[in-house]
Short mmCIF file of all heavy atoms in Angstrom, two decimals:
data_model
loop_
_atom_site.label_atom_id
_atom_site.label_comp_id
_atom_site.label_asym_id
_atom_site.label_seq_id
_atom_site.Cartn_x
_atom_site.Cartn_y
_atom_site.Cartn_z
N ARG A 20 -3.19 -10.49 1.13
CA ARG A 20 -2.84 -11.91 1.02
C ARG A 20 -1.46 -12.14 0.57
O ARG A 20 -0.75 -13.01 1.16
CB ARG A 20 -3.81 -12.59 0.00
CG ARG A 20 -3.53 -14.14 -0.10
CD ARG A 20 -4.60 -14.75 -0.98
NE ARG A 20 -4.43 -16.19 -0.98
CZ ARG A 20 -3.66 -16.86 -1.85
NH1 ARG A 20 -3.00 -16.25 -2.76
NH2 ARG A 20 -3.56 -18.25 -1.74
N LEU A 21 -0.96 -11.43 -0.35
CA LEU A 21 0.40 -11.59 -0.85
C LEU A 21 1.38 -11.21 0.27
O LEU A 21 2.32 -11.87 0.52
CB LEU A 21 0.65 -10.72 -2.05
CG LEU A 21 0.00 -11.19 -3.32
CD1 LEU A 21 0.14 -10.20 -4.44
CD2 LEU A 21 0.49 -12.56 -3.75
N GLN A 22 1.07 -10.13 1.04
CA GLN A 22 1.94 -9.75 2.18
C GLN A 22 1.98 -10.80 3.25
O GLN A 22 3.09 -11.14 3.75
CB GLN A 22 1.51 -8.46 2.79
CG GLN A 22 1.67 -7.21 1.87
CD GLN A 22 1.11 -5.97 2.53
OE1 GLN A 22 0.12 -6.04 3.27
NE2 GLN A 22 1.64 -4.84 2.21
N TYR A 23 0.86 -11.38 3.51
CA TYR A 23 0.76 -12.44 4.56
C TYR A 23 1.64 -13.70 4.12
O TYR A 23 2.33 -14.30 4.88
CB TYR A 23 -0.69 -12.95 4.76
CG TYR A 23 -0.89 -13.75 5.88
CD1 TYR A 23 -1.27 -13.29 7.12
CD2 TYR A 23 -0.74 -15.21 5.82
CE1 TYR A 23 -1.51 -14.11 8.25
CE2 TYR A 23 -0.92 -16.05 6.90
CZ TYR A 23 -1.30 -15.49 8.08
OH TYR A 23 -1.48 -16.32 9.18
N LEU A 24 1.44 -14.05 2.83
CA LEU A 24 2.24 -15.20 2.39
C LEU A 24 3.71 -14.93 2.43
O LEU A 24 4.54 -15.77 2.91
CB LEU A 24 1.82 -15.50 0.87
CG LEU A 24 0.46 -16.03 0.70
CD1 LEU A 24 0.13 -16.19 -0.76
CD2 LEU A 24 0.26 -17.41 1.42
N ARG A 25 4.08 -13.68 2.06
CA ARG A 25 5.53 -13.36 2.04
C ARG A 25 6.11 -13.32 3.47
O ARG A 25 7.16 -13.79 3.77
CB ARG A 25 5.74 -12.00 1.36
CG ARG A 25 7.20 -11.59 1.26
CD ARG A 25 7.39 -10.38 0.37
NE ARG A 25 6.49 -9.32 0.66
CZ ARG A 25 6.73 -8.38 1.56
NH1 ARG A 25 7.86 -8.32 2.29
NH2 ARG A 25 5.90 -7.39 1.74
N LEU A 26 5.37 -12.59 4.38
CA LEU A 26 5.89 -12.30 5.69
C LEU A 26 5.69 -13.46 6.70
O LEU A 26 6.50 -13.68 7.54
CB LEU A 26 5.32 -11.01 6.25
CG LEU A 26 5.62 -9.77 5.50
CD1 LEU A 26 4.79 -8.61 6.04
CD2 LEU A 26 7.09 -9.49 5.56
N VAL A 27 4.47 -14.07 6.67
CA VAL A 27 4.13 -15.10 7.67
C VAL A 27 4.42 -16.45 7.15
O VAL A 27 5.15 -17.26 7.81
CB VAL A 27 2.69 -14.91 8.10
CG1 VAL A 27 2.32 -16.04 9.10
CG2 VAL A 27 2.45 -13.55 8.72
N LYS A 28 3.86 -16.82 6.03
CA LYS A 28 3.98 -18.23 5.52
C LYS A 28 5.42 -18.50 5.09
O LYS A 28 5.94 -19.61 5.35
CB LYS A 28 3.09 -18.50 4.39
CG LYS A 28 1.60 -18.48 4.72
CD LYS A 28 1.14 -19.76 5.21
CE LYS A 28 -0.29 -19.70 5.47
NZ LYS A 28 -0.97 -20.96 5.80
N HIS A 29 6.03 -17.56 4.35
CA HIS A 29 7.37 -17.86 3.82
C HIS A 29 8.41 -17.01 4.49
O HIS A 29 9.62 -17.05 4.07
CB HIS A 29 7.40 -17.47 2.31
CG HIS A 29 6.44 -18.39 1.59
ND1 HIS A 29 6.57 -19.71 1.34
CD2 HIS A 29 5.23 -18.08 0.93
CE1 HIS A 29 5.54 -20.18 0.65
NE2 HIS A 29 4.71 -19.17 0.43
N GLY A 30 8.03 -16.28 5.54
CA GLY A 30 9.01 -15.41 6.28
C GLY A 30 9.08 -15.88 7.74
O GLY A 30 8.67 -17.00 8.05
N GLU A 31 9.51 -14.97 8.55
CA GLU A 31 9.65 -15.29 10.01
C GLU A 31 8.78 -14.37 10.88
O GLU A 31 9.00 -14.31 12.04
CB GLU A 31 11.08 -15.12 10.38
CG GLU A 31 11.99 -16.10 9.57
CD GLU A 31 13.44 -16.04 9.96
OE1 GLU A 31 13.83 -15.26 10.94
OE2 GLU A 31 14.24 -16.73 9.36
N PHE A 32 7.78 -13.76 10.33
CA PHE A 32 6.89 -12.85 11.15
C PHE A 32 5.79 -13.70 11.75
O PHE A 32 5.04 -14.39 11.03
CB PHE A 32 6.24 -11.73 10.20
CG PHE A 32 5.64 -10.68 11.06
CD1 PHE A 32 6.37 -9.67 11.49
CD2 PHE A 32 4.29 -10.70 11.35
CE1 PHE A 32 5.75 -8.58 12.25
CE2 PHE A 32 3.67 -9.82 12.05
CZ PHE A 32 4.47 -8.69 12.49
N PRO A 33 5.69 -13.69 13.08
CA PRO A 33 4.66 -14.46 13.74
C PRO A 33 3.26 -13.94 13.50
O PRO A 33 2.94 -12.72 13.67
CB PRO A 33 4.98 -14.36 15.24
CG PRO A 33 6.22 -13.59 15.32
CD PRO A 33 6.58 -12.97 14.01
N ALA A 34 2.34 -14.83 13.04
CA ALA A 34 0.97 -14.37 12.76
C ALA A 34 0.29 -13.78 13.94
O ALA A 34 -0.55 -12.89 13.83
CB ALA A 34 0.18 -15.55 12.26
N ALA A 35 0.65 -14.25 15.09
CA ALA A 35 0.08 -13.77 16.35
C ALA A 35 0.32 -12.28 16.59
O ALA A 35 -0.38 -11.58 17.35
CB ALA A 35 0.52 -14.54 17.57
N GLU A 36 1.38 -11.72 15.97
CA GLU A 36 1.72 -10.39 16.13
C GLU A 36 1.05 -9.40 15.19
O GLU A 36 1.12 -8.16 15.30
CB GLU A 36 3.23 -10.22 16.09
CG GLU A 36 4.01 -10.77 17.26
CD GLU A 36 5.41 -10.47 17.29
OE1 GLU A 36 5.89 -9.48 16.68
OE2 GLU A 36 6.19 -11.23 17.93
N LEU A 37 0.27 -9.97 14.22
CA LEU A 37 -0.52 -9.14 13.35
C LEU A 37 -1.62 -8.41 14.14
O LEU A 37 -2.33 -9.09 14.89
CB LEU A 37 -1.14 -9.96 12.23
CG LEU A 37 -0.17 -10.54 11.21
CD1 LEU A 37 -0.90 -11.49 10.24
CD2 LEU A 37 0.46 -9.44 10.42
N ILE A 38 -1.74 -7.21 13.94
CA ILE A 38 -2.79 -6.47 14.58
C ILE A 38 -4.08 -6.47 13.70
O ILE A 38 -4.07 -6.01 12.61
CB ILE A 38 -2.43 -5.00 14.90
CG1 ILE A 38 -1.20 -4.95 15.78
CG2 ILE A 38 -3.52 -4.20 15.46
CD1 ILE A 38 -0.54 -3.68 15.96
N MET A 39 -5.09 -7.14 14.23
CA MET A 39 -6.37 -7.25 13.44
C MET A 39 -7.09 -5.91 13.23
O MET A 39 -7.14 -5.12 14.19
CB MET A 39 -7.35 -8.15 14.10
CG MET A 39 -6.95 -9.63 14.23
SD MET A 39 -7.09 -10.46 12.57
CE MET A 39 -5.46 -11.09 12.47
N PRO A 40 -7.44 -5.62 12.02
CA PRO A 40 -8.15 -4.33 11.72
C PRO A 40 -9.42 -4.32 12.60
O PRO A 40 -10.12 -5.34 12.75
CB PRO A 40 -8.47 -4.35 10.28
CG PRO A 40 -7.52 -5.35 9.68
CD PRO A 40 -7.28 -6.36 10.82
N THR A 41 -9.75 -3.09 13.15
CA THR A 41 -10.96 -2.97 13.90
C THR A 41 -12.00 -2.09 13.26
O THR A 41 -13.10 -1.98 13.70
CB THR A 41 -10.58 -2.31 15.26
OG1 THR A 41 -9.97 -1.14 15.10
CG2 THR A 41 -9.69 -3.26 16.08
N GLY A 42 -11.59 -1.42 12.08
CA GLY A 42 -12.50 -0.61 11.44
C GLY A 42 -13.54 -1.35 10.63
O GLY A 42 -13.45 -2.54 10.43
N SER A 43 -14.58 -0.61 10.20
CA SER A 43 -15.61 -1.17 9.40
C SER A 43 -15.57 -0.71 8.02
O SER A 43 -16.54 -0.80 7.22
CB SER A 43 -17.00 -0.88 10.05
OG SER A 43 -17.21 0.50 10.11
N ASP A 44 -14.44 -0.11 7.61
CA ASP A 44 -14.29 0.51 6.25
C ASP A 44 -13.84 -0.67 5.32
O ASP A 44 -13.51 -1.78 5.71
CB ASP A 44 -13.21 1.54 6.29
CG ASP A 44 -11.85 1.00 6.75
OD1 ASP A 44 -11.76 0.75 7.98
OD2 ASP A 44 -10.93 0.92 5.96
N LEU A 45 -13.93 -0.40 4.01
CA LEU A 45 -13.61 -1.44 2.99
C LEU A 45 -12.08 -1.84 3.00
O LEU A 45 -11.82 -2.99 2.74
CB LEU A 45 -13.97 -0.91 1.67
CG LEU A 45 -15.54 -0.75 1.38
CD1 LEU A 45 -15.81 -0.02 0.05
CD2 LEU A 45 -16.20 -2.06 1.43
N GLY A 46 -11.26 -0.92 3.34
CA GLY A 46 -9.83 -1.29 3.46
C GLY A 46 -9.58 -2.31 4.58
O GLY A 46 -8.87 -3.30 4.39
N SER A 47 -10.21 -2.05 5.71
CA SER A 47 -10.07 -3.06 6.79
C SER A 47 -10.64 -4.37 6.42
O SER A 47 -10.09 -5.38 6.74
CB SER A 47 -10.72 -2.47 8.06
OG SER A 47 -10.09 -1.35 8.53
N LEU A 48 -11.82 -4.39 5.76
CA LEU A 48 -12.44 -5.60 5.32
C LEU A 48 -11.54 -6.32 4.38
O LEU A 48 -11.39 -7.56 4.50
CB LEU A 48 -13.74 -5.26 4.70
CG LEU A 48 -14.54 -6.54 4.19
CD1 LEU A 48 -15.03 -7.42 5.35
CD2 LEU A 48 -15.71 -6.05 3.31
N GLY A 49 -10.97 -5.66 3.47
CA GLY A 49 -10.10 -6.27 2.50
C GLY A 49 -8.84 -6.85 3.18
O GLY A 49 -8.51 -8.04 2.76
N LYS A 50 -8.30 -6.23 4.10
CA LYS A 50 -7.17 -6.79 4.83
C LYS A 50 -7.53 -8.12 5.49
O LYS A 50 -6.85 -9.09 5.41
CB LYS A 50 -6.55 -5.81 5.81
CG LYS A 50 -5.35 -6.32 6.52
CD LYS A 50 -4.69 -5.18 7.35
CE LYS A 50 -4.08 -4.23 6.30
NZ LYS A 50 -3.21 -3.20 6.94
N LEU A 51 -8.67 -8.13 6.18
CA LEU A 51 -9.16 -9.30 6.86
C LEU A 51 -9.39 -10.46 5.87
O LEU A 51 -9.07 -11.61 6.07
CB LEU A 51 -10.39 -9.03 7.64
CG LEU A 51 -10.32 -8.34 8.92
CD1 LEU A 51 -11.68 -7.94 9.44
CD2 LEU A 51 -9.50 -9.03 9.96
N CYS A 52 -10.02 -10.09 4.71
CA CYS A 52 -10.29 -11.11 3.67
C CYS A 52 -8.94 -11.70 3.17
O CYS A 52 -8.85 -12.85 2.90
CB CYS A 52 -11.05 -10.47 2.53
SG CYS A 52 -12.72 -10.08 2.88
N GLY A 53 -7.97 -10.84 2.88
CA GLY A 53 -6.73 -11.32 2.35
C GLY A 53 -5.98 -12.23 3.33
O GLY A 53 -5.46 -13.31 3.04
N TRP A 54 -5.95 -11.87 4.67
CA TRP A 54 -5.42 -12.73 5.62
C TRP A 54 -6.16 -13.99 5.86
O TRP A 54 -5.54 -15.05 6.01
CB TRP A 54 -5.28 -11.98 6.94
CG TRP A 54 -4.28 -10.86 6.96
CD1 TRP A 54 -3.38 -10.48 5.97
CD2 TRP A 54 -4.15 -9.89 7.98
NE1 TRP A 54 -2.70 -9.41 6.32
CE2 TRP A 54 -3.16 -8.98 7.52
CE3 TRP A 54 -4.68 -9.63 9.21
CZ2 TRP A 54 -2.63 -7.87 8.33
CZ3 TRP A 54 -4.27 -8.55 9.96
CH2 TRP A 54 -3.24 -7.70 9.56
#
């Protein structure tokens, strides 16, 4: 969540270029939750 805010919301990184996690592990789930 903090990375998304820094890079996408307050930066210039396009959200469309984020690669969505495809795994079913807890790390991938956490990334999706944060975003």
Side-chain angles (χ1 to χ4, degrees):
R20 182 173 185 271
L21 291 172
Q22 288 174 333
Y23 189 96
L24 292 174
R25 181 173 49 89
L26 297 172
V27 177
K28 294 274 186 176
H29 302 289
E31 297 180 6
F32 192 87
E36 291 187 22
L37 291 173
I38 299 171
M39 290 289 126
T41 57
S43 59
D44 59 289
L45 291 171
S47 295
L48 178 68
K50 186 169 285 189
L51 287 172
C52 289
W54 291 352

